[in-house]
Amino acid sequence: SVIVIFGPPGAGKGTQAPKITEKLGVPQLATGDMLRAAVAAGTDVGRRAKAAMDSGGLVTDDIVVAIIRDRIAAKDCARGFILDGFPRTIEQAKKLDEMLAKRGEKVDVVVSLEVPDSLLEKRICGRWVHKASGRSYHATFNPPKSLKACPGKQAKPKRMFDDETGEQLEQRSDDTKEALVTRLEAYHSQTKPILEHYSPVVAKIDAAKDMSEVWTAIEAVLPTRE
Ligand code: AP5
Ligand code: ZN
């Protein structure tokens, strides 16, 4: 199955997608994670993407479409995949539909995480990520064990550690109030119109609720394991 997990910055795409992977056994393809890895590795794509990402704008369609085209050709995508952060423009959606049609596939469901803009700043500014795995935490809403162990430090934590590896967590360079304004503008003007394009397969989820309630709602709209 081809599942798109959709929503504004901070909606919970990266939080919920790994649970879908666990349930359906299909990989999560997150263009944001792939682009950040390319920036960190200093590749050609990384150099071309960095400025747009830091400011909160979109990377060009050509770059992300090429990344996805290569990635879905891999063996582990044969039974389907979860797209997180892609497509993000109507152009990307059309290219995706073409690529899928060639494989005899289509987007089965767009899981649309709906959260009012007013809640997103708190989610974004409190996020801490484990770069290597893409796992994300939140200082208040989803603290790692290292923080739960010393609740007194919860107010303004300076260092946090990943539950699984013990490695240090970091904050994303685009997780600032300023970049969030630009990211939200890009979302409303360029990305949200995609919902119209996929309207027959869109499943709306109230993602303002807490993480476990959101997951319960997502589970109810997922296809069954192939
Ligand atoms: P990308 O990495 O995709 O960022 P984004 O879309 O802005 O989304 P986020 O990762 O910020 O949010 P999320 O929904 O994953 O939230 P999360 O689960 O972590 O893209 C980054 C950049 O790359 C773009 O700006 C662009 O430049 C470029 N790019 C990527 N793809 C592109 C494309 N296709 N085309 C062009 N450019 C592209 O949750 C956020 C926080 O909230 C966490 O701390 C989490 O713990 C917490 N949280 C999650 N759920 C809840 C809940 N229910 N209640 C309370 N807290 C919660
Ligand atoms: Zn994400």
Side-chain angles (χ1 to χ4, degrees):
S1 347
V2 177
I3 297 159
V4 173
I5 186 146
F6 187 89
K13 303 180 293 293
T15 299
Q16 302 292 342
K19 299 183 194 199
I20 306 178
T21 293
E22 207 175 296
K23 189 176 164 94
L24 299 182
V26 292
Q28 168 193 6
L29 316 187
T31 41
D33 289 347
M34 295 180 208
L35 289 166
R36 278 184 289 278
V39 170
T43 65
D44 192 39
V45 162
R47 261 176 284 132
R48 286 162 65 203
K50 188 177 189 314
M53 293 180 77
D54 283 344
S55 70
L58 295 183
V59 172
T60 62
D61 291 337
D62 290 353
I63 291 181
V64 287
V65 168
I67 289 180
I68 289 294
R69 177 171 286 131
D70 288 351
R71 183 64 185 85
I72 66 178
K75 227 181 184 174
D76 65 332
C77 290
R79 286 180 48 254
F81 40 86
I82 306 156
L83 294 168
D84 163 0
F86 181 92
R88 235 174 169 101
T89 62
I90 293 283
E91 179 63 21
Q92 291 177 24
K94 289 182 176 160
K95 287 272 161 58
L96 172 65
D97 295 347
E98 279 170 33
M99 291 188 273
L100 293 177
K102 282 188 190 144
R103 298 159 57 112
E105 293 171 338
K106 58 173 178 47
V107 171
D108 293 294
V109 58
V110 175
V111 177
S112 176
L113 302 179
E114 317 223 313
V115 186
D117 285 6
S118 58
L119 293 183
L120 299 174
E121 187 184 312
K122 261 205 182 117
R123 290 197 185 180
I124 290 289
C125 295
R127 168 165 55 191
W128 290 72
V129 295
H130 179 241
K131 273 221 172 118
S133 67
R135 267 188 292 281
S136 68
Y137 297 87
H138 192 283
T140 312
F141 305 134
N142 183 25
K145 289 179 194 140
S146 66
L147 192 64
K148 280 187 221 153
C150 43
K153 289 192 183 146
Q154 206 138 324
K156 263 208 165 148
K158 292 215 174 60
R159 270 155 35 108
M160 287 188 223
F161 302 92
D162 178 46
D163 287 351
E164 285 181 33
T165 63
E167 288 164 0
Q168 201 159 324
L169 304 180
E170 294 170 56
Q171 292 193 284
R172 265 168 55 175
S173 57
D174 61 343
D175 278 353
T176 62
K177 273 191 195 178
E178 298 72 35
L180 178 60
V181 171
T182 313
R183 287 159 67 190
L184 280 172
E185 276 169 14
Y187 172 73
H188 286 289
S189 64
Q190 295 180 265
T191 306
K192 216 175 167 200
I194 291 176
L195 286 177
E196 198 77 19
H197 177 84
Y198 288 117
S199 55
V201 293
V202 171
K204 291 187 179 179
I205 304 287
D206 178 359
K209 298 199 171 131
D210 71 45
M211 289 171 202
S212 60
E213 287 178 272
V214 174
W215 170 240
T216 305
I218 293 174
E219 260 191 309
V221 303
L222 291 178
T224 48
R225 196 178 176 127
E226 279 169 31

